[in-house]
């Protein structure tokens, strides 16, 4: 089942009028930009959009990939309408072709909002998934479309790369000319003699379930997220993010006698970094005065002030003040310096906790993750015998190959 022409027109008209009413200033700001080839997002709140027309929400939940394509086309028409309305008063506006509708703010319900990695039953649904970025790949250039010409009728048609087959191009079996050529011989216009014409930025990241949201004894699962165009480099390792996108499956080329290897991938439409506001701590006068009063109180005995701070560190563990002092020093970090040869020496140190089971090692790690804005907590269950390296700030484990 696919969207009909009447449904596509309805979705386009509703979304076009919606963005002109609620996001006209955003569109005009994009039209003032100098770079016509860049990709520009317009973030749309799903709740407000669906309240405008509930039928759009039903189509979006049933056919998310198709509806998102209609949204992008309607956004370009809305930009053209805004340009024509403001052309007389603002001569420095120019139409941008690479506009993308980014949907956020889904209703908070189990069907649409997930704190755990989606499963096979979620394939084809638009979801928001919250997790921690544990790996980011390099940004690559992806060819997403090729043009072919029929050797018989000279009809030129485009073939898009198939996301479900790792962006492989499936050669058509017959000519796509509506006049009924049916020839099976084509020539690729972007072959070995010419460079690819239709390319976009592409990046893959891997997110992991947040440890604090799991039950005791659960191992966090991971999922690959595909980023394209303006979403590339929107987050980095250690960030807590919410990804809005379509759950899809992909597989590698088939081989006779071998089992097909399927994996679930989240094709992102919008990425929201949740810990962005924590990266820069704003110290107001009240906090500054509290800090000064605290050390003024312990001016004659600063070690007593230190002990008071350590007593509040990881309060669920009794005693172990020496260990708490070590954890506090690693969390506070040091000052990066540069030696005479120009080599940068980091200020953060490593910490290795060794002890019997039940002595509170994991409690210290979980507390460090809780108070550190950018951190990743993982277990060494899947580590190789070559060894495991642990760094506390940010908390991560690098497995040697």
């Amino acid at each position: 089942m696919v969207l009909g022409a009447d449904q596509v027109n309805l979705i386009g008209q509703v979304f076009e009028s919606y963005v002109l009413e609620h996001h006209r200033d955003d569109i005009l700001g994009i039209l003032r930009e100098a770079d016509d080839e860049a990709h520009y997002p317009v973030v749309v709140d799903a709740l407000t959009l669906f309240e405008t027309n509930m039928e759009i929400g039903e189509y979006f939940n049933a056919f998310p990939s198709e509806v998102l394509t209609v949204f992008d086309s309607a956004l370009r028409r809305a930009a053209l309408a805004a340009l024509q309305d403001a052309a007389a008063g603002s001569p420095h506006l120019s139409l941008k072709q690479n506009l993308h509708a980014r949907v956020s703010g889904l209703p908070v319900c189990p069907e649409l909002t997930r704190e755990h990695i989606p499963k096979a039953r979620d394939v084809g649904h638009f979801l928001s998934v919250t997790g921690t970025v544990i790996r980011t790949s390099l940004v690559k250039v992806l060819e997403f479309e090729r043009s072919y010409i029929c050797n018989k009728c000279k009809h030129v048609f485009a073939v898009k790369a198939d996301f479900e087959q790792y962006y492989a191009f499936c050669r058509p079996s017959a000519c796509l000319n509506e006049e009924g050529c049916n020839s099976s011989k084509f020539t690729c216009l972007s072959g070995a003699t010419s460079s690819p014409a239709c390319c976009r930025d592409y990046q893959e990241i891997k997110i992991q379930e947040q440890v604090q949201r799991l039950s005791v004894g659960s191992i966090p699962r991971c999922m690959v997220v595909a980023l394209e165009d303006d979403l590339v480099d929107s987050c980095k390792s250690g960030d807590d993010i919410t990804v809005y996108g379509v759950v899809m499956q992909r597989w590698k080329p088939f081989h006779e006698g071998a089992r097909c290897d399927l994996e679930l991938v989240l094709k992102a439409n919008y990425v929201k970094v949740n810990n962005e506001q924590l990266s820069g701590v704003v110290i107001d006068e009240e906090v500054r005065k509290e800090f000064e009063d605290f050390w003024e109180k312990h001016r004659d005995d600063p070690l007593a002030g230190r002990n008071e701070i350590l007593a509040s560190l990881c309060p669920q563990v009794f005693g172990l003040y020496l260990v708490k002092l070590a954890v506090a020093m690693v969390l506070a970090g040091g000052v990066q310096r540069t030696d005479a040869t120009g080599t940068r020496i980091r200020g953060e140190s490593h910490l290795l906790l060794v002890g019997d089971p039940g002595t509170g090692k994991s409690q210290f790690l979980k507390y460090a993750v809780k108070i550190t804005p950018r951190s990743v907590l993982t277990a060494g269950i899947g580590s190789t015998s070559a060894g495991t390296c642990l760094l506390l700030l940010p908390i991560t484990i690098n497995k040697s190959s």
Side-chain angles (χ1 to χ4, degrees):
M1 185 176 179
V2 295
L3 291 173
D6 295 337
Q7 297 169 334
V8 171
N9 293 333
L10 172 64
I11 296 171
Q13 292 173 3
V14 172
F15 188 78
E16 182 179 350
S17 61
Y18 171 82
V19 294
L20 285 175
E21 179 181 354
H22 295 85
H23 297 277
R24 180 180 291 271
D25 293 339
D26 298 335
I27 295 176
L28 292 177
I30 293 174
L31 298 180
R32 294 189 187 96
E33 296 292 336
D35 191 355
D36 293 340
E37 301 298 328
H39 293 261
Y40 299 97
V42 175
V43 182
V44 177
D45 183 73
L47 276 176
T48 309
L49 174 61
F50 296 160
E51 287 176 357
T52 304
N53 191 312
M54 295 300 296
E55 193 175 358
I56 302 300
E58 296 177 359
Y59 292 144
F60 183 77
N61 291 330
F63 312 99
S65 299
E66 293 82 355
V67 172
L68 287 174
T69 303
V70 177
F71 282 176
D72 290 347
S73 301
L75 183 59
R76 286 190 287 270
R77 294 197 300 270
L80 178 60
L83 176 64
Q84 293 173 349
D85 294 341
S90 302
H92 300 292
L93 302 180
S94 60
L95 184 63
K96 310 297 189 299
Q97 295 297 329
N98 299 321
L99 300 178
H100 304 281
R102 302 303 184 191
V103 180
S104 67
L106 291 178
V108 181
C109 60
E111 293 78 12
L112 300 176
T113 306
R114 302 292 173 84
E115 295 178 351
H116 302 288
I117 297 300
K119 297 183 179 180
R121 64 175 180 268
D122 299 315
V123 172
H125 295 142
F126 190 93
L127 304 175
S128 68
V129 182
T130 302
T132 302
V133 182
I134 62 173
R135 185 179 303 167
T136 59
S137 70
L138 297 175
V139 179
K140 302 177 182 179
V141 177
L142 172 70
E143 184 183 12
F144 66 93
E145 184 177 290
R146 286 180 181 174
S147 297
Y148 289 85
I149 183 171
C150 177
N151 295 343
K152 181 179 178 181
C153 66
K154 305 304 180 183
H155 175 67
V156 178
F157 55 92
V159 176
K160 293 185 178 296
D162 188 1
F163 177 85
E164 294 183 335
Q165 299 188 50
Y166 286 83
Y167 288 99
F169 286 94
C170 299
R171 191 181 182 90
S173 58
C175 179
L176 302 181
N177 193 344
E178 297 179 355
E179 298 179 359
C181 173
N182 294 326
S183 174
S184 60
K185 295 183 179 180
F186 319 101
T187 301
C188 181
L189 298 181
S190 57
T193 58
S194 60
S195 59
C198 300
C199 297
R200 59 162 55 112
D201 293 331
Y202 179 79
Q203 184 184 29
E204 288 188 359
I205 64 174
K206 182 174 286 189
I207 62 173
Q208 182 186 71
E209 294 173 331
Q210 294 178 325
V211 180
Q212 59 269 27
R213 301 180 185 272
L214 299 177
S215 59
V216 178
S218 300
I219 299 176
R221 295 180 298 152
C222 303
M223 186 178 194
V224 175
V225 179
L227 308 179
E228 296 179 355
D229 300 324
D230 57 288
L231 299 180
V232 167
D233 278 340
S234 59
C235 59
K236 49 189 177 296
S237 297
D239 285 342
D240 289 330
I241 64 174
T242 300
V243 184
Y244 298 84
V246 183
V247 180
M248 303 184 70
Q249 56 187 2
R250 63 180 182 180
W251 57 86
K252 294 182 179 179
F254 300 108
H255 298 284
E256 185 176 357
R259 178 179 297 178
C260 179
D261 187 15
L262 281 168
E263 71 168 339
L264 293 182
V265 181
L266 187 61
K267 189 175 182 182
N269 174 261
Y270 178 61
V271 176
K272 179 183 178 182
V273 181
N274 299 324
N275 63 322
E276 202 168 30
Q277 67 275 13
L278 298 177
S279 58
V281 179
V282 178
I283 301 177
D284 54 15
E285 289 300 324
E286 183 178 355
V287 176
R288 188 184 302 274
K289 186 177 184 303
E290 182 180 358
F291 179 83
E292 294 174 352
D293 293 344
F294 177 83
W295 287 112
E296 180 65 24
K297 174 183 175 182
H298 299 91
R299 181 177 58 180
D300 298 332
D301 189 5
L303 292 181
R306 181 205 66 179
N307 295 337
E308 186 174 339
I309 295 176
L310 294 181
S312 64
L313 187 72
C314 195
Q316 62 266 35
V317 178
F318 178 77
L320 298 180
Y321 289 106
L322 185 60
V323 178
K324 291 183 178 182
L325 176 60
V327 173
M329 292 178 64
V330 173
L331 288 175
V335 179
Q336 179 178 303
R337 63 186 180 88
T338 305
D339 59 13
T341 61
T343 303
R344 292 184 178 179
I345 302 176
R346 64 170 181 262
E348 292 79 15
S349 59
H350 294 273
L351 175 64
L352 175 64
L353 292 179
V354 181
D356 295 329
T359 54
K361 300 184 299 297
S362 298
Q363 294 296 326
F364 284 115
L365 295 179
K366 291 179 180 180
Y367 183 81
V369 170
K370 186 177 179 180
I371 66 175
T372 306
R374 296 185 64 244
S375 58
V376 176
L377 175 61
T378 183
I381 296 177
S383 304
T384 63
S385 58
T388 303
C389 174
L390 184 143
L391 174 66
L392 187 57
L393 185 63
I395 300 173
T396 183
I397 289 181
N398 297 323
K399 296 182 291 183
S400 305
S401 56

